[in-house]
Amino acid sequence: VLLTFHPEDPHSYRLVNSGVMLAAQADGASIVTVEGLDDTATLRQGDKETRRPVNQSTNQPISQSPIHPISQSPLPALQAAFVRTGAIQCGYCTPAQLLAAKKLLDENPHPSEAQVREALAGVLCRCTGYAKPVQAVLLAAAWMRGDAAPDGHDWEPPNLTIFNAFESGEWPAEAPPDEPPAPADPTGVIAPPRTMPVTVAAPATRVVNKPEPKVDAVKLAKGRPVFTDDVEMPGMLYGGLLTSPHAHARILAIDKSKALALPGVHAVLTHEDVPRVIYASGGQSYPNPPPYDQVSLDNKVRHVGDRVAIVAAETPELVQQALELIEVEYEILPAVFDPETAIQDGAPVIHDEPDAQMIHDP
Ligand code: FES
């Protein structure tokens, strides 16, 4: 977040890692989150009446400046640039990237690439490699000043139809055509087609070979709820995992009867209750890279914290109580704790299940 105890001074905001700050330390402070960036008044992106860039000194629209793509965007410049350049991937780091960039651009409308990199340096991003966020901040700075894009790229204005669909979740029944239909001739004469057929032509495409905003990029740029943990519906249950205290063990028996008897507990699942569907844990969609060595719940645990049982109950407290009532009988097996030991002859075999696939174990 951006935080200040002197909101009357826009330059007094500090970039703060809210995850390591006590709430008491922020008592009485003025705070800006990524949701607050939606207020275009907080960004000097341009005059709302004329939709032209604003002179940073006089705060007046620059009358001779061309109308830039951002003036047609439903998003403030910074967020639109992040969406347009592909600077948003998973989105975990996006709020911090945007706030760090906002602080920089509020203080320095003409940042160099090195200054942008310095401003973003404290934000850890596992996805983008920083190239796109840096490009986005430089582009936003140019848009906000009324300059051309710094990389000379002819960035198209954001597609409002698509952006609105992202926002509302309602997609147009049919994508807008590339070319408007020929106007009807009042004489009744059938007009010739506007495009004459040709024998060989590259097919015109609206999507293929063109940059497309990520499907949830606008929501991520605005700090809207997009992650599973953000979803809350009436009647939802809370879930919890019973995990293994052992590094390697076989589950000989599980007694879940006491947990199930607890009022408000709706389900307790063990390896006896779920189908055995093998998958890889790479966390990637198709093509899911091997090895295929995971099932949701197994009769064996292979590390401390491995999954043993799943509880669904009406409150988090009930989940915790139910987890404590599950009784598990383990056969503790020899474990390995480093790769050197694991490759020795006779080392314990952790994945000895017959249905695992593509495990290389010479
Ligand atoms: S976009 Fe995924 S961590 Fe930065």
Side-chain angles (χ1 to χ4, degrees), residues 241-245 301 304-309 330:
L241 284 178
L242 180 68
T243 57
S244 168
V301 288
V304 172
D306 205 355
R307 303 171 297 269
V308 175
Y330 294 99

Side-chain angles (χ1 to χ4, degrees), residues 47-81:
D47 182 81
K48 285 181 180 171
E49 296 293 321
T50 65
R51 310 301 289 167
R52 290 185 185 281
V54 168
N55 182 306
Q56 303 295 322
S57 309
T58 65
N59 213 30
Q60 293 300 311
I62 304 170
S63 58
Q64 298 307 313
S65 295
I67 295 179
H68 278 262
I70 191 57
S71 66
Q72 300 170 38
S73 167
L75 288 171
L78 197 49
Q79 287 144 301

Side-chain angles (χ1 to χ4, degrees), residues 177-197:
D178 283 337
E179 184 178 316
D185 189 317
T187 64
V189 176
I190 298 174
R194 290 162 63 94
T195 305
M196 298 301 290

